[in-house]
Amino acid sequence: MTAPPIDRTHLPSDPVVLQQLVRDLLDERDAQARQVARLQHWLTKLLRARYGPARERVDEHQLFLFAAAALAAHKDGPPPEPPPPPAEPTPRRGHGRQRLPKHLERRQVTYDLPTEDQHCPTCQAPLTRIGDEVSERLEYVPASLLVLEEHCAKYACPKGCTVRTAIKPMQPIEKGLPGPGLLAQVAVSKYADHLPLHRQTQQFARQGVTLSRQTLCDWMGRAARLVAPLVTLMQQQVLASKVLQTDDTPVAVLDPTLPRTKTGRIWTYVGDGQHPYTVYDYTPDRSRAGPDQFLEPFNGYLQADAYAGYDALYRDPARGITEVACWAHSRRRVFEARDADPMRAMILLAYIRLLYDVEREARDLCLDAANRRALRQVRSVPILADIEAYLRREQPHVLPKSPIGEAIAYALHNWAALVRYTEEGDLAIDNNAAERSLRGVAVGRKNWMFFGSDTGGRTAAILTSLITTCKRLHVEPFAYLRDVFERISGHPASRLADLLPDRWQAARTAPAAD
């Protein structure tokens, strides 16, 4: 509350009034100091988001200086039983030039001595060729367009009874101009390499082919409708996961009814190891209806941030969805509070670092789910107990609206979900897999800027689902999409699962039957 204005020429003489006046001025000063600190905190966050590094890195020496006790309390512990050593250790990769891939086409170029130099300079005897000195150089041949001139043979009865014409295979776009390779190239260029359609039209124009941006946009929409049943099948597989990670990110969308773009949402759903697919969904807003509808058949562990739209899913026992929170989100709030309250922030960062040390050890030892859970029960659970005790001890001593107060309140409010990852070895400590899957969308929107419509958002979600899943499974996305676009029109619906990226890759690498 702001103190009343003071008349400097007529100050009160009553000590009680003066004391109250001093108290009011001190309260006002403290409130202004808190407001300045809060504004400074937001300014630091904005400057870091705009100009600073994305990685939340803390100096190791500074971390130890502020939290030596926390580091020493849990550094030693009973080591887990290591798994049997691998049969053949993986050789270390050298730092020299890597060998060029064998699958690349090789064209031999031979350089010979001139005729006058093919004689010995001493005795003038003709030189005998004893071999070649071979070296390799990597060259680039620009991509090119070609025209497939399709001839359908026609046959007629000599007596004029009938005429028959050969039937072409079904095309990705019936009576359309693009072949499957061109559709795959445009899709991969935009949704994997983040090249906007108007830049691709410039590339085609340099090869003498004029294609408008609207034409390419229409091609992508029709290609997405073509493979939509395949993405629906991927969605069913993802929703059968025991553990599902999800996150969302905003995207700008054109709206003809508004003077500016509106904000749509791209949601990612990352399946577990038994269902290795990443599926995206587009919604015009961030209401809970989008994830609620997508997750309707799902029951299992859902790992996400603390978005309030998921709360109804967790509270409904009929849904069978168990909440798992993300330690990366909790750590980020503590990291952002380190300038305002370095002592408490550094102690908490040190504790969280110990949790991640346990996860790094489990990963280095290649532990299975059961052994990972056992390691967490021995090493992580005591650390989590100390973190909770420290949070509850410090919460009364910090302002609720301060950065560190909000970080502590966030952790305690989600505490049951934050510690749940220790109950199952299949669970992850954070939601970073889902965040990484949205990195392509974040990079892409800096290039293509916005979606042209809600339909464009759904097109992007479908094609990005296939391309990102290919990247996750180390499948070459262009080869995959080209083959799928070529085959899916005539592919039996009962065998649609054969075109899933993992099964497609397995079929290509399987040895040919005798």
Side-chain angles (χ1 to χ4, degrees):
M1 181 177 180
T2 305
I6 299 175
D7 186 356
R8 297 174 182 267
T9 60
H10 299 85
L11 294 176
S13 58
D14 188 350
V16 177
V17 176
L18 288 174
Q19 291 176 1
Q20 182 61 41
L21 183 62
V22 171
R23 283 193 290 269
D24 292 342
L25 290 174
L26 290 175
D27 291 343
E28 183 178 357
R29 187 199 64 178
D30 293 342
Q32 291 177 348
R34 288 194 296 270
Q35 184 178 12
V36 169
R38 187 170 182 83
L39 292 175
Q40 183 63 43
H41 171 66
W42 281 104
L43 178 61
T44 302
K45 285 182 62 177
L46 291 173
L47 290 175
R48 180 176 179 271
R50 181 66 179 86
Y51 300 108
R55 185 173 181 181
E56 300 165 1
R57 182 178 296 177
V58 179
D59 183 80
E60 295 286 343
H61 301 287
Q62 187 181 22
L63 191 66
F64 182 82
L65 177 66
F66 279 94
L71 289 169
H74 295 283
K75 204 63 178 176
D76 298 327
E81 297 183 3
E88 296 183 1
T90 303
R92 296 183 60 184
R93 180 178 296 178
H95 297 285
R97 179 185 294 177
Q98 297 182 5
R99 292 183 178 274
L100 297 178
K102 294 183 178 180
H103 70 272
L104 295 179
E105 177 188 355
R106 279 167 167 76
R107 299 179 184 178
Q108 181 175 325
V109 180
T110 302
Y111 301 99
D112 206 347
L113 287 173
T115 304
E116 59 271 17
D117 292 340
Q118 295 183 11
H119 293 78
C120 177
T122 303
C123 63
Q124 300 302 316
L127 299 178
T128 302
R129 185 170 178 175
I130 59 174
D132 294 338
E133 183 177 309
V134 180
S135 62
E136 291 184 338
R137 183 171 60 223
L138 192 62
E139 183 57 287
Y140 175 73
V141 178
S144 60
L145 295 168
L146 60 89
V147 178
L148 294 179
E149 195 174 274
E150 299 173 326
H151 293 252
C152 297
K154 297 177 67 175
Y155 293 86
C157 174
K159 299 180 180 180
C161 299
T162 186
V163 176
R164 288 186 176 179
T165 305
I167 300 176
K168 294 190 301 183
M170 296 184 67
Q171 303 300 308
I173 299 179
E174 192 63 28
K175 298 182 180 180
L177 182 65
L182 181 55
L183 285 177
Q185 173 63 26
V186 175
V188 171
S189 295
K190 180 171 183 180
Y191 301 109
D193 302 330
H194 320 300
L195 190 64
L197 296 181
H198 74 272
R199 296 184 195 168
Q200 296 191 51
T201 63
Q202 296 171 4
Q203 290 183 338
F204 294 135
R206 288 197 293 269
Q207 300 184 46
V209 178
T210 301
L211 295 171
S212 69
R213 184 188 62 83
Q214 184 58 46
T215 297
L216 299 186
C217 185
D218 180 62
W219 288 354
M220 291 299 95
R222 299 176 73 173
R225 290 194 294 272
L226 184 66
V227 297
L230 188 59
V231 176
T232 300
L233 184 59
M234 290 171 53
Q235 175 180 336
Q236 295 171 1
Q237 292 289 320
V238 164
L239 293 176
S241 299
K242 176 182 178 181
V243 182
L244 182 62
Q245 291 195 3
T246 182
D247 204 351
D248 66 283
T249 190
V251 288
V253 184
L254 288 182
D255 189 338
T257 64
L258 297 175
R260 53 178 175 76
T261 59
K262 67 176 184 179
T263 301
R265 283 322 242 207
I266 288 288
W267 305 77
T268 180
Y269 299 92
V270 181
D272 58 20
Q274 286 68 44
H275 308 85
Y277 309 105
T278 301
V279 176
Y280 297 84
D281 187 32
Y282 169 81
T283 58
D285 51 41
R286 207 195 181 200
S287 66
R288 54 170 285 193
D292 185 78
Q293 181 180 358
F294 189 96
L295 295 170
E296 184 176 359
F298 175 72
N299 59 83
Y301 291 96
L302 182 65
Q303 189 162 25
D305 57 13
Y307 170 51
Y310 298 125
D311 292 345
L313 303 179
Y314 304 139
R315 290 194 299 263
D316 187 357
R319 301 294 291 265
I321 298 178
T322 304
E323 179 183 9
V324 184
C326 171
W327 269 104
H329 282 82
S330 184
R331 183 189 185 277
R332 187 170 301 136
R333 291 173 177 263
V334 176
F335 180 83
E336 292 171 350
R338 73 194 189 286
D339 294 329
D341 195 332
M343 178 64 73
R344 292 185 177 91
M346 287 299 174
I347 291 176
L348 287 173
L349 289 174
Y351 273 125
I352 298 173
R353 171 65 180 270
L354 294 178
L355 295 177
Y356 275 88
D357 285 344
V358 176
E359 299 305 305
R360 188 176 299 108
E361 182 177 344
R363 184 171 60 251
D364 292 342
L365 294 174
C366 302
L367 300 181
D368 58 16
N371 287 326
R372 190 182 302 112
R373 179 187 180 278
L375 178 65
R376 289 170 175 172
Q377 291 293 318
V378 173
R379 297 278 297 280
S380 299
V381 169
I383 300 173
L384 289 166
D386 285 354
I387 294 176
E388 183 182 16
Y390 180 79
L391 292 174
R392 297 194 182 282
R393 185 170 66 249
E394 295 298 322
Q395 190 178 31
H397 304 292
V398 299
L399 294 173
K401 295 299 183 180
S402 65
I404 193 66
E406 291 180 343
I408 291 175
Y410 176 89
L412 290 177
H413 178 73
N414 298 285
W415 188 253
L418 281 171
V419 302
R420 187 158 286 127
Y421 81 97
T422 61
E423 301 173 4
E424 282 284 347
D426 292 319
L427 300 176
I429 189 174
D430 53 38
N431 200 33
N432 284 351
E435 290 201 348
R436 285 193 300 269
S437 69
L438 289 174
R439 187 176 300 167
V441 179
V443 174
R445 67 187 172 205
K446 294 181 179 180
N447 290 273
W448 36 255
M449 303 299 290
F450 53 80
F451 292 142
S453 63
D454 291 334
T455 301
R458 286 185 282 270
T459 294
I462 291 173
L463 295 177
T464 306
S465 298
L466 292 172
I467 290 174
T468 303
T469 299
C470 284
K471 291 182 178 181
R472 177 179 176 180
L473 297 171
H474 306 290
V475 176
E476 207 287 300
F478 172 80
Y480 170 76
L481 284 180
R482 188 191 187 286
D483 190 56
V484 168
F485 286 151
E486 185 174 20
R487 295 168 50 192
I488 194 169
S489 296
H491 196 78
S494 59
R495 294 172 46 203
L496 187 62
D498 295 344
L499 298 182
L500 291 172
D502 53 339
R503 301 190 188 184
W504 180 88
Q505 180 76 344
R508 286 172 63 92
T509 57
D514 294 337

